[in-house]
Amino acid sequence: MFTDNLNSIYKGEKDMFDMDAIKNSPVAVLGGGNVGKTCAADCVISGKNKDVRIFELPDFYDRTLKSVEKSGITLGGIQKNQYGYKRFGKAYFNMLTSDMAEALDGANLVIVAIPSVAHDVFFEQLVPLLRDGMIIHIIPDNYGSLKLRKKMREMGCDKKVIIGGWSSAPYGTRVEREGGVPTSDMWLVYRAKTLRGAALPSKDQEIFIESSKYLGCFDSITEGDGPVGGDTVMDIGFSNVNPVLHCPGTILGVGVMENFGRIYGGHDPYQYSIYSHAYCPSISEVQYAFFLEEVKLAEAMGVGIAKYPKETFFQRTSILGPEYMGDDCFVPFDQQWETGFKTGPFTIQDRYVTEDVPVGCHLYHELGKKFGVETPVIDSMITLGSVMTGKDFYETGMTLEDLDLAHMTKDQILDYLHNGNYTEK
């Protein structure tokens, strides 16, 4: 199946991506947060992956993984899915470590499940440990594929690895807490039945997408409608639903969020849900206008983007619903979106703003300047988010320089994204 593709990419070095070897490879999960722990536990409970390791940075290990040494991780939750796909159970791991070299030893399947703000810290450690034959899945990508390739160039690494990312995680997941203390239980709100993914360069994509079948955490997708290949990793960035949903919902719904549990909503501020209590027709208008600016940016750049009809935005699950329930999913505004869990956000300092504005919105702002596309709605999110959080996201936000794209023309960027031909400064 892969012979022609591999010969064209690696000139006959196809044995390093032998799928039988990949299938039986240990899985290294980098990141001990919600997504990392859930992906790792899902791989174990699936029975598909016999050797699963989790790495966390030393400064965060005690906070995220210390309790897991004794308790393992338990998957629970309502796990909404159109096809009724659910998986419950407790997972114990072959390795929990703060030594990345230990986690990666012999592992050719690597999951990077960290916030985009931590990419640089992780990639500094990852690049010297890369080996020929590794396949790296960044979940979600958030332009991490571009940053990892950049780091490889900076560090003189020419290992034959496949790097790609996904527009979202395979599920909405949260750690359950008691009295502010995190437990070992993960609560899954939903399981995706499809996800959008791409490799950098996209000529590696056949192998990248195929390898997802050998990760237990992708089973609801593999056994659902399957993954969708984006045309490039920029397509995956544009197709990430977080900025368009989270930023208008959190920033424009801040009054409901900050007053919830004070003057209405009972006495528990942690029962607040952006989906149930903030989303409304007026915010949907802003989200749709934000989306149209994304579409214009993608078209100007010459890359793809997941498309949605306007009516999909005007309901509680918005454009998240199709990921796990299909295009017909529609929860009207006169109903709540029940998660059975405290979904938040509960503060303006949440990643819905502090990550999605500087990474998503600001990069769109930069692309607009480069490709001559006005982005007034997106810019308003940067301005308001900066004022509300006290952080200047225009100064600190992700730039095209961070991705090594600023100096290239449109044609050079597309050649790099599709074929891997990087144009030096």
Side-chain angles (χ1 to χ4, degrees):
M1 171 177 187
F2 300 101
T3 303
D4 291 339
N5 193 27
L6 285 169
N7 281 338
S8 66
I9 301 171
Y10 296 113
K11 300 178 181 178
E13 297 173 346
K14 60 182 179 295
D15 289 344
M16 70 179 68
F17 291 103
D18 175 68
M19 282 300 139
D20 286 334
I22 293 295
K23 185 189 307 184
N24 297 309
S25 167
V27 175
V29 178
L30 308 185
N34 293 349
V35 173
K37 285 192 284 193
T38 305
C39 282
D42 213 13
C43 285
V44 171
I45 297 169
S46 74
K48 184 176 286 186
N49 306 114
K50 306 301 183 185
D51 184 349
V52 180
R53 304 93 174 261
I54 310 179
F55 163 83
E56 182 57 281
L57 295 170
D59 289 346
F60 298 95
Y61 183 90
D62 285 352
R63 185 190 314 172
T64 61
L65 292 183
K66 189 67 176 178
S67 64
V68 177
E69 294 175 359
K70 293 185 177 181
S71 63
I73 294 173
T74 301
L75 296 189
I78 52 181
Q79 303 192 28
K80 297 180 181 181
N81 177 274
Q82 184 178 5
Y83 304 127
Y85 193 98
K86 300 178 189 294
R87 179 182 285 151
F88 303 92
K90 183 180 285 288
Y92 292 93
F93 303 94
N94 297 76
M95 182 187 298
L96 299 167
T97 181
S98 59
D99 184 335
M100 191 181 292
E102 280 188 341
L104 293 174
D105 185 24
N108 284 344
L109 282 172
V110 181
I111 295 172
V112 178
I114 56 177
S116 59
V117 294
H119 280 161
D120 288 338
V121 176
F122 274 75
F123 293 164
E124 284 280 352
Q125 294 191 41
L126 174 59
V127 169
L129 301 172
L130 292 176
R131 303 184 319 277
D132 288 347
M134 283 181 165
I135 302 178
I136 299 163
H137 292 257
I138 305 178
I139 307 175
D141 185 64
N142 266 339
Y143 313 103
S145 297
L146 286 154
K147 296 186 82 172
L148 181 51
R149 288 291 185 191
K150 178 188 179 188
K151 187 64 66 176
M152 288 177 68
R153 288 190 295 274
E154 291 174 346
M155 301 182 77
C157 178
D158 60 357
K159 298 300 182 183
K160 303 297 191 297
V161 296
I162 289 178
I163 297 170
W166 298 89
S167 59
S168 183
Y171 9 65
T173 179
R174 298 287 189 274
V175 63
E176 292 202 62
R177 296 175 182 270
E178 184 67 27
V181 178
T183 71
S184 62
D185 296 336
M186 304 304 301
W187 181 273
L188 278 64
V189 178
Y190 66 86
R191 281 183 177 269
K193 65 172 192 153
T194 184
L195 274 186
R196 200 173 183 93
L200 177 64
S202 55
K203 67 180 182 179
D204 293 4
Q205 193 149 295
E206 182 183 0
I207 308 165
F208 175 72
I209 296 291
E210 177 74 10
S211 70
S212 70
K213 296 179 181 178
Y214 306 122
L215 289 167
C217 59
F218 277 85
D219 282 352
S220 65
I221 297 157
T222 302
E223 299 175 26
D225 290 347
V228 174
D231 72 325
T232 69
V233 291
M234 285 303 301
D235 175 323
I236 303 310
F238 281 120
S239 299
N240 185 331
V241 302
N242 286 351
V244 66
L245 293 184
H246 292 166
C247 298
T250 306
I251 291 170
L252 300 182
V254 67
V256 180
M257 177 185 70
E258 293 187 352
N259 284 311
F260 204 83
R262 295 178 179 177
I263 61 173
Y264 53 82
H267 300 288
D268 185 359
Y270 296 105
Q271 293 301 321
Y272 173 77
S273 164
I274 190 175
Y275 291 92
S276 287
H277 305 116
Y279 285 0
C280 60
S282 296
I283 287 179
S284 294
E285 291 284 5
V286 176
Q287 290 169 326
Y288 183 61
F290 185 120
F291 173 68
L292 292 181
E293 291 179 2
E294 289 182 283
V295 171
K296 288 180 181 178
L297 287 169
E299 290 174 347
M301 194 173 182
V303 300
I305 183 174
K307 298 289 184 67
Y308 304 95
K310 182 176 181 178
E311 56 267 22
T312 305
F313 287 85
F314 286 78
Q315 45 102 17
R316 293 239 171 263
T317 65
S318 193
I319 57 175
L320 178 64
E323 266 188 20
Y324 67 96
M325 289 301 294
D327 293 339
D328 293 332
C329 179
F330 193 91
V331 180
F333 284 125
D334 59 3
Q335 297 179 20
Q336 285 194 348
W337 186 60
E338 298 297 340
T339 65
F341 193 74
K342 303 169 183 179
T343 57
F346 309 114
T347 169
I348 199 66
Q349 301 293 345
D350 190 271
R351 65 180 178 84
Y352 281 20
V353 175
T354 59
E355 180 178 12
D356 292 337
V357 171
V359 176
C361 296
H362 191 263
L363 190 65
Y364 296 153
H365 169 78
E366 294 288 288
L367 287 168
K369 291 192 296 184
K370 183 174 181 68
F371 291 99
V373 177
E374 293 186 356
T375 55
V377 175
I378 291 172
D379 292 354
S380 72
M381 296 295 104
I382 304 172
T383 301
L384 292 175
S386 296
V387 172
M388 291 181 180
T389 61
K391 299 176 172 68
D392 188 344
F393 293 127
Y394 284 107
E395 285 294 321
T396 62
M398 183 180 289
T399 67
L400 295 177
E401 285 83 359
D402 294 331
L403 308 182
D404 252 4
L405 300 179
H407 65 283
M408 287 194 269
T409 66
K410 174 180 174 179
D411 287 343
Q412 289 171 338
I413 290 174
L414 292 176
D415 188 30
Y416 172 50
L417 295 174
H418 286 288
N419 304 307
N421 297 320
Y422 175 75
T423 301
E424 296 288 347
K425 295 181 182 178

